[in-house]
């Protein structure tokens, strides 16, 4: 909850308030880390601060760049639906649809 002052600490994998605690690990915890063994399901190195960006399909660090697609309509999901245009995938009809225009199924 950013409005309450929380930030994400990728080192400890939890939210924290900088004035209450540090975003660090102890020497004992360092021994338990496997360098390079902290990739998520998208192969992003989480302890290095990387997150997966659906819009670009790449790993990024939020303090270095934003997770936005620079291509209009470039945010298609795995079904080809353009989420920025409001489209969602409907399994029942096997097509993209806008919920305010029609129902799924």
């Amino acid at each position: 909850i950013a409005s309450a002052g929380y930030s994400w600490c990728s080192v400890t994998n939890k939210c924290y308030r900088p004035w209450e605690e540090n975003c660090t690990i102890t020497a004992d915890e360092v021994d338990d880390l496997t360098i390079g063994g902290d990739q998520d399901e998208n192969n992003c190195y989480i302890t290095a601060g990387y997150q997966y960006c659906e819009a670009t399909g790449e790993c990024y660090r939020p303090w270095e760049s934003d997770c936005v697609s620079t291509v209009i309509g470039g945010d298609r999901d795995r079904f080809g639906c353009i989420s920025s245009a409001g489209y969602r995938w409907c399994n029942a009809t096997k097509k993209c649809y806008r919920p305010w225009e029609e129902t799924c199924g």
Side-chain angles (χ1 to χ4, degrees):
I1 305 173
S3 61
Y6 285 96
S7 295
W8 178 253
C9 176
S10 60
V11 174
T12 59
N13 287 322
K14 68 175 190 166
C15 292
Y16 78 108
R17 289 178 171 160
W19 64 89
E20 294 179 341
E21 60 184 304
N22 293 319
C23 179
T24 58
I25 57 176
T26 66
D28 291 335
E29 293 170 321
V30 170
D31 291 338
D32 294 335
L33 288 178
T34 302
I35 305 301
D38 62 338
Q39 290 176 288
D40 64 13
E41 64 276 1
N42 297 299
N43 295 321
C44 299
Y45 289 98
I46 53 177
T47 57
Y50 286 96
Q51 300 174 7
Y52 185 71
C53 177
E54 291 283 341
T56 63
E58 298 176 349
C59 300
Y60 79 107
R61 290 193 253 195
W63 62 89
E64 293 178 339
S65 62
D66 292 325
C67 175
V68 293
S69 176
T70 56
V71 178
I72 296 175
D75 61 333
R76 293 181 185 269
D77 64 17
R78 62 185 173 151
F79 300 106
C81 303
I82 304 172
S83 59
S84 63
Y87 287 97
R88 296 182 184 167
W89 179 252
C90 176
N91 275 328
T93 61
K94 304 290 188 228
K95 68 174 193 165
C96 301
Y97 78 105
R98 288 179 168 155
W100 64 89
E101 293 179 340
E102 60 184 305
T103 60
C104 174

